[in-house]
Amino acid sequence: MRILVIDVGGTHVKVLATGHKNRVEIPSGPKLTPAKMVAAVQAATEGWKYEAVSIGYPGPTVHGHPISEPVHLASGWVGFDFKKACHRPVKIVNDAAMQALGSYHGGRMLFLGLGTGLGSALIVDNVLEPMELAHLPYKKGRSYEDYVGLAGLERLGKKKWRHQVNKVVQQLKSAVQADYVVLGGGNARLLKKLPPGARLGDNANAFRGGFRLWTKPYSSSPHPRFVH
């Protein structure tokens, strides 16, 4: 099956399809509605052949549908008919979950995306569970995201931010009993030394995750599951 993968971000929408080596980047931002996004993707990929679409969405999703509007984009995403707009079957997952799926190498893996916020997902024995750890209380009345997201980096500075990332990774790894942690997101590259049991991910893994969304038995199971 040829699949078009759309990774929706706050500054860019990144697109890649089966059989293509180079991804397409489309500017996004606070004026981007889902209809404008689909139209821009269709214009940028004119002539591409694909039978299905995977979308990594920058917010929580349940049963393949966004349940809250994205923070850095325009509204209208909740309830939008992506299948009708794309004229193809569509699967939608949280963007961190899609990158986690592409980063997975067996066992119990915790994915943490260090970007504007804190993305998170857990995969246990091939079963994907998107998570929302970012807004759980951490300390001093602030959340995990307040310490290891972009706001924390700007408030604390790189040295103290790195220290907090190390503590948060160890704490969350222990909490979910993960075998290993994959650190993705744009700010992961700012780490000088990785926490024990952690390795760097790659934003390109989001595309691999988008392709994996359609692999069996993941594609046919009511529970998110796949083989690699």
Side-chain angles (χ1 to χ4, degrees):
M1 180 185 287
R2 289 171 295 187
I3 301 159
L4 181 74
V5 181
I6 304 172
D7 185 16
V8 182
T11 57
H12 289 89
V13 176
K14 297 172 284 290
V15 187
L16 186 68
T18 305
H20 290 260
K21 292 183 178 180
N22 298 319
R23 69 185 189 186
V24 171
E25 290 197 1
I26 301 165
S28 60
K31 294 183 179 180
L32 187 71
T33 64
K36 288 180 180 178
M37 185 275 289
V38 171
V41 168
Q42 289 173 339
T45 61
E46 187 176 1
W48 291 21
K49 298 184 183 299
Y50 54 94
E51 290 86 49
V53 179
S54 294
I55 299 176
Y57 177 73
T61 66
V62 173
H63 303 306
H65 301 283
I67 59 171
S68 66
E69 299 291 346
V71 176
H72 302 290
L73 306 176
S75 60
W77 298 76
V78 175
F80 184 80
D81 192 338
F82 287 92
K83 181 179 179 180
K84 182 178 179 180
C86 295
H87 309 292
R88 307 282 197 292
V90 177
K91 287 182 182 288
I92 304 175
V93 294
N94 171 263
D95 54 352
M98 193 164 80
Q99 191 174 149
L101 195 59
S103 307
Y104 182 64
H105 292 286
R108 300 176 63 93
M109 184 199 79
L110 174 64
F111 175 86
L112 297 174
L114 302 173
T116 304
L118 174 65
S120 56
L122 181 69
I123 303 181
V124 179
D125 298 335
N126 297 324
V127 178
L128 170 65
E129 184 60 50
M131 305 180 80
E132 289 292 326
L133 301 177
H135 304 296
L136 292 177
Y138 177 44
K139 63 179 184 178
K140 296 183 179 179
R142 296 180 187 269
S143 67
Y144 285 105
E145 183 172 275
D146 291 332
Y147 274 87
V148 301
L150 181 60
L153 174 61
E154 293 175 343
R155 187 179 74 254
L156 299 171
K158 287 182 182 179
K159 185 176 180 180
K160 290 183 178 179
W161 175 81
R162 289 179 182 127
H163 176 69
Q164 291 300 325
V165 169
N166 185 74
K167 289 180 65 176
V168 166
V169 167
Q170 292 303 301
Q171 190 174 113
L172 295 179
K173 179 176 182 287
S174 297
V176 301
Q177 298 182 307
D179 298 324
Y180 60 102
V181 179
V182 172
L183 298 174
N187 290 333
R189 59 185 172 77
L190 299 177
L191 296 171
K192 285 187 174 181
K193 183 179 179 182
L194 293 177
R199 62 180 176 84
L200 278 181
D202 189 318
N203 286 343
N205 286 344
F207 295 116
R208 182 187 298 170
F211 296 136
R212 281 181 170 178
L213 275 175
W214 295 90
T215 59
K216 292 182 178 181
Y218 185 93
S219 60
S220 58
S221 172
H223 302 289
R225 186 176 175 88
F226 77 105
V227 292
H228 57 90

